[in-house]
Amino acid sequence: GVNGPCDCLEYSNLKLLRRRWYDTVITLPSGHLWVVSGQNYVGDLFDVTLSEFNWEIFPRDVSPHYGQVPFLLTNLGFQLYPFVHVLRSGRLFIMAGINSSILEGPTFTQTVNMPPLAGLPRTYPQTGTSVLLPLSSVDDYKSKILVCGGAAYVDITSPTEPTCGQITPEDPNPQWTISTMPSGGRVMGDGVLLADGKVLIVNGGGTGAQSFEMATNPVFTPDLFDPDAPAGAQWTQLAPTFIARLYHSVALLLPDASVLVAGSNPHYTPVYTEPFPTEYRV
């Protein structure tokens, strides 16, 4: 309460059906949470026996509220932290690696498969970023997805992906269109949908993958994508920062339309020496 203790209350009846770590959570049009993937034990992230290839809805006051996701089984190695977006129809777009599909409720059955996105893997652990672009009356409010960045393999030496793919999943014949970020390849970038409909791509590394001590060559220059600009003129470089923002960095749009950028803790424990100290500046 006001001027009271900031205690965290945990209710024994508010629990997921499955233990999950490294899962993806989105809000459905109903207001329920759709929770997918993750690991049921804090262990080797590449041990598929620990992975949850299923979804559940929380709270569980609807039926069905649990099911399997065969799509994740067919994309082993990228089953954690899949990209998921709610489409205008209420169906879900899901992506793992370079592959993506539409899932249709109430059982979230895989119904439409997108063509593979060209380039390097795009999701964890070669993590890029993904944004649902603004809906517009100009094209009858079609849902469009932008996916940027990625990496080749899980090592600090891995090259990163400089391209972005854009797709309209509910088109009759959905196809990716490709553009290139002017600042080059980026892994662990943060995509932020701005108040004017543009997309800010900020943070991340130019070499490596997503994990502790796994990325270097920080990308200091943010890139700005304008989905309404003609092809070839959609990208702009912004003023660079001098702070490396690698693993565990965030970027969030604030109510006044500014962007809060924080974090970077690429080490197992706090490190305060160069080249990439644990970062507390915001």
Side-chain angles (χ1 to χ4, degrees):
V2 177
N3 299 322
C6 296
D7 293 334
C8 178
L9 301 179
E10 183 171 347
Y11 297 90
S12 60
N13 61 324
L14 297 180
K15 292 184 177 180
L16 297 174
L17 286 171
R18 305 291 299 176
R19 298 176 184 270
R20 299 181 191 270
W21 182 60
Y22 279 49
D23 53 329
T24 297
V25 183
I26 62 164
T27 303
L28 298 174
S30 64
H32 291 80
L33 301 181
W34 193 77
V35 188
V36 64
S37 183
Q39 282 195 323
N40 53 44
Y41 180 78
V42 180
D44 183 355
L45 291 170
F46 301 100
D47 183 351
V48 297
T49 66
L50 302 178
S51 292
E52 294 289 335
F53 299 96
N54 52 66
W55 59 267
E56 60 180 284
I57 289 178
F58 184 86
R60 294 184 292 277
D61 57 358
V62 295
S63 182
H65 53 252
Y66 177 85
Q68 301 301 312
V69 187
F71 171 81
L72 296 177
L73 280 167
T74 60
N75 289 278
L76 291 180
F78 303 101
Q79 70 271 15
L80 302 178
Y81 280 149
F83 292 157
V84 182
H85 298 284
V86 180
L87 304 176
R88 179 196 173 191
S89 65
R91 298 188 293 176
L92 303 183
F93 170 91
I94 186 169
M95 184 171 194
I98 59 172
N99 298 315
S100 54
S101 295
I102 289 178
L103 306 181
E104 188 158 355
T107 58
F108 300 98
T109 303
Q110 187 174 338
T111 57
V112 180
N113 296 323
M114 311 295 120
L117 174 54
L120 303 176
R122 307 290 184 150
T123 65
Y124 181 86
Q126 290 104 295
T127 311
T129 188
S130 179
V131 175
L132 174 67
L133 296 175
L135 305 184
S136 171
S137 60
V138 173
D139 58 5
D140 195 27
Y141 305 101
K142 289 184 177 180
S143 300
K144 299 177 182 178
I145 308 293
L146 181 72
V147 177
C148 294
Y153 47 83
V154 185
D155 190 85
I156 198 169
T157 65
S158 173
T160 57
E161 179 61 52
T163 68
C164 297
Q166 182 178 323
I167 197 166
T168 307
E170 295 182 303
D171 271 358
N173 181 31
Q175 298 293 322
W176 293 97
T177 58
I178 304 297
S179 62
T180 300
M181 294 181 286
S183 295
R186 192 187 300 250
V187 66
M188 296 185 293
D190 293 303
V192 182
L193 183 61
L194 301 179
D196 62 359
K198 297 182 176 66
V199 179
L200 176 70
I201 308 293
V202 66
N203 300 338
T207 308
Q210 180 175 339
S211 189
F212 289 114
E213 315 290 353
M214 196 64 73
T216 186
N217 187 25
V219 183
F220 293 108
T221 302
D223 292 326
L224 187 68
F225 178 79
D226 183 352
D228 296 325
Q234 294 176 303
W235 287 100
T236 305
Q237 285 184 301
L238 303 180
T241 181
F242 57 89
I243 301 175
R245 304 281 189 183
L246 296 170
Y247 193 31
H248 294 138
S249 297
V250 295
L252 300 171
L253 182 70
L254 299 179
D256 67 356
S258 63
V259 176
L260 181 147
V261 180
S264 191
N265 180 36
H267 314 289
Y268 289 95
T269 58
V271 172
Y272 303 112
T273 57
E274 297 293 343
F276 309 125
T278 300
E279 187 58 65
Y280 295 101
R281 287 172 290 183
V282 176

